[in-house]
Amino acid sequence: WSPASLWRLGRGPRMRPIPTNLRVLAERPLAAESSSWSSMTPEERQEKRRNKKQNQQQQQQKQQEQQHPKSYRMFHAVPIYTDFNDVDLVSTAPDFFPFPDDGEIVSPYDAHERDFAFEMKEGTVTTATETKMEDSHRSSSSSFSSKTHVTKTTSVTADDASTTTTSSSLSSSSHTFQEPTHRSSYEYYTQYSQNQQDEVVLLDDEDDNDDDSISKRHDNENSLRNLQVPQIHLPPRLVPNVAWEHHHRATTSFVHERLQRRRGQRDQTIDKQQHQLEGDTKRKRSPLVSATPEWQRLELHKLEIENQHLRDLLKDEERSQAMFAEHDGVYLDYSRQRATLKTLQLLQDLAKRQRLEERIQDMVSGKTINFTEKRAVLHTALRADPDEQIFVDGENVVEDVHQVLNQIKTFTEGVRSGNIRGYTGKRLRNIISVGIGGSYLGPEFLHEVLKTEPDGINSALGYNLRFLANVDPVDVERTCADLDPEETLIIVVSKTFTTAETMLNARTMRQWLWDFMGNDKEVVRKHVVACASVSATDKVKEFGIDTNNYFFRFWDWVGGRYSVCSAVGAVPISLMYGFDLFEQFLKGAQSIDRHFMTAPMDKNIPIIMGLLGVWNHSFLGYKTRTTLPYAEALLRLPSHIQQLDMESNGKVMTRHGIEVDYPVGEIDFGEPGTNGQHSFFQLLHMGQTAPCDFIGFCQSQHDLCLDDESLSSHDELMANFFAQPDALANGKTADEVRAEGIEEDLVPHRTFKGNRPSMSLLLPKLTAYATGQLLAIYEHRTAVQGFIWDINSFDQWGVELGKKLANDVKAHLVDARKSEDHVIEASNPASSRILNYYVNNSRTNACMNSDMSPNTNPLTRVTRKTHSDHARAALTPPIQHDLGGSIGKLS
Ligand SMILES: O=P(O)(O)OC[C@H]1O[C@H](O)[C@H](O)[C@@H](O)[C@@H]1O
């Protein structure tokens, strides 16, 4: 019954509870003493134990007298075995406590408050675990002391900073427990200790009498001493094994997290006091989700997960069978998440606590859940069937939605059939969609998909769609330099119709049209359409757009980043690809909406993904997340998700106006596979951990197989899609590397720790319908996370400040451009200096160019120049799928 076997017994939740009792451990003879111990008769040993017990009782009494009557502390002084940056931490040894049969870790850590104290003295770093219980109803208490193998132990309590230092090679530390009235883990602990004590003694004797066992223990101890693990100093009495490594990881992360919290808490103390002074009663009424038992259970559960490697989890047949979900061709495999079925259950408990299903219903039924903007959030209504009814302010919004969709259908078919033409009578075959953020990223991502989709290719023949988003004049140049304005339709897409970049680009495009066709308001009425919110109707009119026929409205309850299913996506995509394909996209999104609203949580794809998002970010601490479509046509999906998720969940306040004390809002990035593998996957495999979303398709939009190849190109691509998640999860051990014959020096460099989570989404084929499904999955994942975190995922106040300051800078620049002597005085010296530097070095600015004739509009001269260059070189602008019109000739 060596310490190592005791230790091992503590692993795994279903193991027999350890008869742990620090007394038993403490009384165990050390290696040096073991031979004299084994030479004693059982009676002598019994006698020795009795003496020790008496001593302990005396010590216990003494200590009880010193104890504060109302507070409770427990210290563990256990061997130092790890090095953690500048601080050596001492194991908190959670394994010393029993695991009951239901698999839950129940230990004194369940106490109301846990904290750590540590101090560095004379180059020896020591620490203590403190468990403090504020419960005033404690009924009984007991205490005991133990010997531990510590060179030096310093215990610093958090409250009174009293320090106890013991200095000897076998120093003592005291342990005092007091019992809360409810049945706590401590009860389990004490009861179990009492029941098991005899058995322990018996086992102890047997074990000690066994020569084999002693020699085994010596071997173990020797092998431990010889162990060379960089930066890990294992205690000499314990045998190195995987459990140690896991325990080490769990302990360090647990301790570190607590320390960080504590440091953070210190910084927040002043704020908190301020809050209290202001009588922040809200806080009392609406505690943060992190204060709920469901959240705390997950925190505790994290310790279990920390001990488990994905390599092992993946071997569990039952788990793998259970960790997938399927709906309408979408297959989600989440078995490579650092989670067990219990994790999922606990996450669902949290979802219930946060009334997730109710909040989803609130959203889809039109309640004002965007409370800071006092708006409903109804992007799901954009893909509802015409016979559905959703009311906002007494109006059935589905009716409005279908009215606008019909208007878009008629208009776009009119343009595509040639019935609606440009100012000079030419067919409109070039479409420039001017918009930014949510008025650009969604439509562009969809356009990229349809560009290579067989139906998309056929229906786009003869048309050309481009997006103008950036206010950089170079973007203007790139977008329209080779287009014929007479054949170009400009779509100004802006919910507010006030976004500075979009409106400047819209004016630029209007000027471009005027430059070529004359400054006639009819030019605008025939060549410019608007997609904007109904509340922007006046601004649309002011711009010169025909609001009766060329204005496609949407509503305040459509958030910008959730607007691709509205006119924002419908107009450009239907002009380019026809209305039918856009409708298929809506159908795909609708299929996921219904699944999201009705499927139970454990089968609900967006809910599972959202809950795992919360788990990865708020509990496991992964701040970044990647989207990795193994489909080139999804190249703009990661950018769309970036805005969708980061603008939605990049928040700090809960809906109760309380600042969150848990991480919310991941950093999203991504790239299609396999390209990403050859750029940033090194980091994903060996550097920081970023949970990955792999997205793949069973069939390619265009499969290709060369005659001599055994696999098609799509199979080649998908082989990577399947391999990467396993590489991330399993890693490669040092032994596996050695087995490949790698030189010993290189072994650490070529070892992969693995244990990196990912999930895989597999769909049949990348069509318009599947794209709608993907869109809705990600929209709903974002909402789920926001609901759990209790934040408003539908506003974006964070973008306002930058916009306001840009206006201030613009005012400075206007003054500076008027006079060469003007010196800018901005809000701080650094800003003044850099602004003046910019102004002094940009005197050739277009608006200052003196050699331009007064009739030449500087805004479009670059484009005009490019056109004239083309003309001089006798080149006709390149034309795609010419409809037989004017072959793009510029007049
Ligand atoms: O559609 P608009 O009103 O022009 O807004 C375009 C974009 O502007 C802002 O910066 C918001 O952060 C985005 O959410 C929005 O999509």
Side-chain angles (χ1 to χ4, degrees):
W1 194 253
S2 69
S5 48
L6 258 181
W7 186 269
R8 269 192 232 103
L9 259 183
R11 316 305 318 169
R14 297 217 160 264
M15 296 273 188
R16 184 172 143 250
I18 318 173
T20 40
N21 185 321
L22 289 177
R23 275 173 293 184
V24 175
L25 282 175
E27 285 171 20
R28 291 209 35 72
L30 293 175
E33 300 169 345
S34 59
S35 52
S36 65
W37 179 265
S38 59
S39 62
M40 288 182 194
T41 63
E43 291 74 30
E44 282 170 343
R45 288 184 204 157
Q46 208 60 46
E47 174 64 20
K48 202 167 174 183
R49 285 198 189 90
R50 255 196 301 279
N51 290 342
K52 278 194 175 168
K53 206 169 186 176
Q54 273 175 6
N55 284 343
Q56 283 165 5
Q57 276 165 358
Q58 283 165 5
Q59 272 185 19
Q60 181 190 352
Q61 255 181 352
K62 256 194 208 164
Q63 282 166 0
Q64 268 182 345
E65 281 163 17
Q66 290 165 3
Q67 290 297 313
H68 189 286
K70 289 268 176 193
S71 82
Y72 157 87
R73 278 183 198 122
M74 176 195 77
F75 291 104
H76 267 177
V78 285
I80 295 172
Y81 71 92
T82 180
D83 215 284
F84 210 59
N85 297 330
D86 56 332
V87 179
D88 280 343
L89 297 171
V90 168
S91 162
T92 56
D95 311 61
F96 279 49
F97 299 97
F99 293 85
D101 278 347
D102 64 1
E104 284 248 344
I105 296 183
V106 181
S107 78
Y109 292 122
D110 285 351
H112 299 172
E113 205 177 313
R114 279 161 280 157
D115 218 332
F116 293 87
F118 66 96
E119 195 177 66
M120 189 180 279
K121 283 233 168 149
E122 295 167 12
T124 307
V125 181
T126 55
T127 186
T129 306
E130 179 187 347
T131 303
K132 187 178 160 207
M133 301 182 71
E134 300 288 285
D135 192 342
S136 56
H137 307 294
R138 289 182 298 269
S139 56
S140 65
S141 72
S142 63
S143 70
F144 59 82
S145 54
S146 69
K147 274 184 183 176
T148 50
H149 191 81
V150 192
T151 315
K152 184 167 181 170
T153 301
T154 305
S155 305
V156 184
T157 68
D159 274 0
D160 55 20
S162 71
T163 304
T164 324
T165 308
T166 51
S167 223
S168 75
S169 64
L170 277 178
S171 57
S172 295
S173 63
S174 67
H175 304 255
T176 304
F177 295 87
Q178 279 190 308
E179 205 177 348
T181 45
H182 62 275
R183 182 174 167 79
S184 69
S185 56
Y186 175 66
E187 262 178 289
Y188 280 111
Y189 174 72
T190 37
Q191 279 180 12
Y192 195 81
S193 312
Q194 280 158 14
N195 296 342
Q196 297 295 317
Q197 204 164 351
D198 290 346
E199 190 192 341
V200 171
V201 171
L202 247 179
L203 282 168
D204 209 8
D205 284 346
E206 267 173 27
D207 207 15
D208 283 325
N209 282 332
D210 178 353
D211 284 343
D212 269 6
S213 157
I214 291 169
S215 84
K216 252 191 232 156
R217 192 170 65 229
H218 285 181
D219 286 347
N220 285 340
E221 284 163 358
N222 285 337
S223 65
L224 177 72
R225 282 195 198 96
N226 295 335
L227 183 83
Q228 295 197 345
V229 181
Q231 296 193 340
I232 297 181
H233 313 298
L234 290 169
R237 291 173 60 210
L238 295 168
V239 174
N241 58 14
V242 179
W244 255 111
E245 220 179 290
H246 288 172
H247 173 68
H248 160 72
R249 264 204 300 271
T251 307
T252 48
S253 95
F254 182 68
V255 171
H256 214 218
E257 186 199 299
R258 295 287 155 178
L259 286 174
Q260 271 177 347
R261 271 201 187 184
R262 213 173 128 194
R263 283 179 195 142
Q265 273 164 11
R266 235 176 271 144
D267 297 341
Q268 288 167 11
T269 313
I270 299 168
D271 285 356
K272 272 188 188 162
Q273 282 168 354
Q274 190 71 28
H275 268 262
Q276 275 160 11
L277 279 175
E278 286 163 12
D280 189 358
T281 48
K282 264 186 190 173
R283 192 181 173 87
K284 281 173 206 149
R285 263 187 283 127
S286 317
L288 294 170
V289 58
S290 55
T292 62
E294 287 79 4
W295 186 281
Q296 287 173 352
R297 240 170 258 148
L298 278 158
E299 292 247 25
L300 202 59
H301 173 66
K302 180 185 142 188
L303 296 176
E304 283 175 55
I305 294 296
E306 296 278 6
N307 280 337
Q308 292 173 303
H309 196 288
L310 266 174
R311 196 185 297 136
D312 305 319
L313 290 176
L314 279 171
K315 287 180 192 146
D316 182 340
E317 182 88 29
E318 189 195 338
R319 178 179 170 278
S320 296
Q321 288 295 334
M323 291 180 105
F324 84 94
E326 206 178 345
H327 168 74
D328 193 13
V330 182
Y331 181 105
L332 170 71
D333 177 354
Y334 55 98
S335 58
R336 286 169 196 79
Q337 287 289 306
R338 292 189 59 201
T340 59
L341 298 180
K342 180 176 170 191
T343 318
L344 268 295
Q345 188 50 58
L346 291 174
L347 285 167
Q348 284 167 27
D349 291 347
L350 180 67
K352 281 176 200 147
R353 155 71 67 158
Q354 291 301 87
R355 299 185 299 106
L356 177 65
E357 286 173 328
E358 211 176 299
R359 289 166 111 176
I360 292 170
Q361 282 312 316
D362 287 351
M363 178 174 87
V364 300
S365 62
K367 294 234 170 84
T368 313
I369 63 167
N370 177 358
F371 51 88
T372 58
E373 296 182 318
K374 300 194 174 46
R375 287 173 186 169
V377 176
L378 268 179
H379 42 278
T380 45
L382 299 171
R383 43 246 189 178
D385 276 343
D387 54 359
E388 287 181 50
Q389 292 191 328
I390 303 168
F391 290 92
V392 173
D393 300 330
E395 299 269 320
N396 179 11
V397 297
V398 181
E399 236 173 74
D400 283 355
V401 166
H402 282 272
Q403 195 193 345
V404 174
L405 282 175
N406 289 336
Q407 185 201 0
I408 292 171
K409 186 171 190 277
T410 311
F411 175 78
T412 54
E413 283 174 359
V415 171
R416 288 171 63 84
S417 66
N419 289 336
I420 298 175
R421 292 183 176 234
Y423 178 72
T424 56
K426 288 185 185 172
R427 293 278 297 271
L428 295 166
R429 60 193 189 88
N430 303 319
I431 304 130
I432 298 179
S433 182
V434 183
I436 200 163
S439 294
Y440 151 62
L441 289 162
E444 194 194 39
F445 130 68
L446 178 56
H447 167 54
E448 288 296 338
V449 169
L450 298 179
K451 222 182 196 175
T452 46
E453 208 270 330
D455 289 342
I457 293 174
N458 285 327
S459 48
L461 285 174
Y463 297 95
N464 189 10
L465 171 61
R466 297 193 186 165
F467 293 89
L468 174 58
N470 202 336
V471 75
D472 183 342
V474 175
D475 207 10
V476 174
E477 175 68 24
R478 289 155 66 115
T479 305
C480 62
D482 58 350
L483 298 181
D484 181 355
E486 291 174 51
E487 298 184 333
T488 304
L489 184 71
I490 310 291
I491 313 170
V492 184
V493 187
S494 175
K495 180 177 169 181
T496 52
F497 228 70
T498 58
T499 303
E501 296 91 327
T502 300
M503 295 324 293
L504 177 53
N505 277 337
R507 291 193 295 275
T508 305
M509 288 295 92
R510 184 175 62 184
Q511 188 61 51
W512 179 69
L513 296 170
W514 280 340
D515 283 353
F516 283 90
M517 288 181 276
N519 197 338
D520 185 342
K521 62 180 183 186
E522 272 306 301
V523 169
V524 182
R525 290 173 71 84
K526 296 276 187 199
H527 285 265
V528 187
V529 306
C531 301
S533 154
V534 269
S535 46
T537 310
D538 291 346
K539 294 187 192 90
V540 174
K541 203 177 219 163
E542 226 170 81
F543 193 87
I545 292 168
D546 173 2
T547 44
N548 291 328
N549 303 302
Y550 285 53
F551 173 38
F552 306 97
R553 64 194 200 284
F554 56 105
W555 306 269
D556 285 344
W557 43 259
V558 183
R561 53 194 174 275
Y562 297 89
S563 66
V564 57
C565 293
S566 71
V568 168
V571 176
I573 297 298
S574 304
L575 280 168
M576 178 74 182
Y577 299 101
F579 186 79
D580 290 353
L581 263 188
F582 186 76
E583 240 184 351
Q584 285 179 33
F585 168 71
L586 294 184
K587 288 275 171 229
Q590 186 197 64
S591 154
I592 295 294
D593 291 345
R594 291 190 173 157
H595 166 71
F596 180 53
M597 291 176 212
T598 54
M601 275 203 259
D602 60 338
K603 303 264 183 297
N604 195 311
I605 292 173
I607 292 186
I608 294 168
M609 288 172 68
L611 292 179
L612 288 168
V614 171
W615 169 244
N616 283 329
H617 188 41
S618 299
F619 294 93
L620 299 185
Y622 302 132
K623 293 185 166 55
T624 326
R625 175 168 64 182
T626 62
T627 312
L628 306 166
Y630 275 61
E632 189 60 23
L634 283 175
L635 80 165
R636 295 297 285 155
L637 174 69
S639 301
H640 178 60
I641 291 179
Q642 214 167 49
Q643 191 209 2
L644 175 65
D645 210 82
M646 291 171 70
E647 196 164 88
S648 295
N649 288 339
K651 307 287 163 62
V652 69
M653 287 293 161
T654 67
R655 64 197 166 119
H656 306 294
I658 302 167
E659 191 167 333
V660 294
D661 66 355
Y662 41 90
V664 304
E666 301 89 337
I667 297 164
D668 284 283
F669 73 101
E671 184 75 24
T674 64
N675 293 13
Q677 288 174 210
H678 302 277
S679 61
F680 55 79
F681 269 49
Q682 164 66 37
L683 182 141
L684 298 184
H685 284 290
M686 283 184 169
Q688 293 179 38
T689 301
C692 303
D693 280 12
F694 289 90
I695 303 169
F697 297 89
C698 297
Q699 292 173 39
S700 173
Q701 284 184 337
H702 296 276
D703 205 2
L704 171 71
C705 191
L706 295 185
D707 286 347
D708 296 334
E709 299 289 333
S710 50
L711 284 178
S712 71
S713 301
H714 184 67
D715 280 344
E716 173 87 22
L717 172 77
M718 291 303 284
N720 287 277
F721 167 86
F722 293 113
Q724 289 293 332
D726 273 337
L728 288 164
N730 294 326
K732 197 185 211 179
T733 63
D735 285 346
E736 286 167 342
V737 177
R738 274 189 204 104
E740 287 175 356
I742 303 296
E743 294 167 48
E744 195 54 36
D745 282 0
L746 286 179
V747 169
H749 299 280
R750 302 192 57 171
T751 302
F752 293 68
K753 286 187 184 149
N755 210 19
R756 288 155 188 260
S758 68
M759 62 174 86
S760 305
L761 271 172
L762 186 60
L763 290 90
K765 194 172 184 174
L766 184 51
T767 56
Y769 185 87
T771 312
Q773 289 181 309
L774 274 178
L775 174 92
I777 287 174
Y778 281 101
E779 283 179 349
H780 298 326
R781 177 189 73 173
T782 295
V784 167
Q785 294 193 206
F787 289 144
I788 300 291
W789 284 327
D790 229 355
I791 54 177
N792 183 355
S793 303
F794 308 105
D795 61 10
Q796 57 286 316
W797 299 106
V799 299
E800 296 304 320
L801 181 60
K803 286 184 190 172
K804 202 231 150 243
L805 291 190
N807 283 336
D808 296 351
V809 173
K810 280 195 268 183
H812 284 306
L813 292 178
V814 167
D815 292 342
R817 295 296 181 211
K818 279 184 198 151
S819 143
E820 295 223 348
D821 307 328
H822 183 84
V823 177
I824 294 176
E825 282 192 32
S827 58
N828 61 66
S831 298
S832 305
R833 196 166 48 239
I834 196 166
L835 275 170
N836 285 310
Y837 182 89
Y838 168 72
V839 168
N840 292 334
N841 288 284
S842 59
R843 295 283 177 204
T844 54
N845 185 290
C847 289
M848 300 284 287
N849 203 340
S850 54
D851 62 36
M852 275 190 301
S853 70
N855 293 334
T856 310
N857 190 314
L859 287 173
T860 55
R861 75 191 174 88
V862 177
T863 306
R864 184 188 292 281
K865 182 175 169 297
T866 312
H867 280 304
S868 51
D869 284 348
H870 275 296
R872 254 202 315 280
L875 290 173
T876 47
I879 302 161
Q880 289 180 349
H881 315 303
D882 179 41
L883 291 179
S886 69
I887 58 163
K889 200 169 130 291
L890 299 167
S891 52

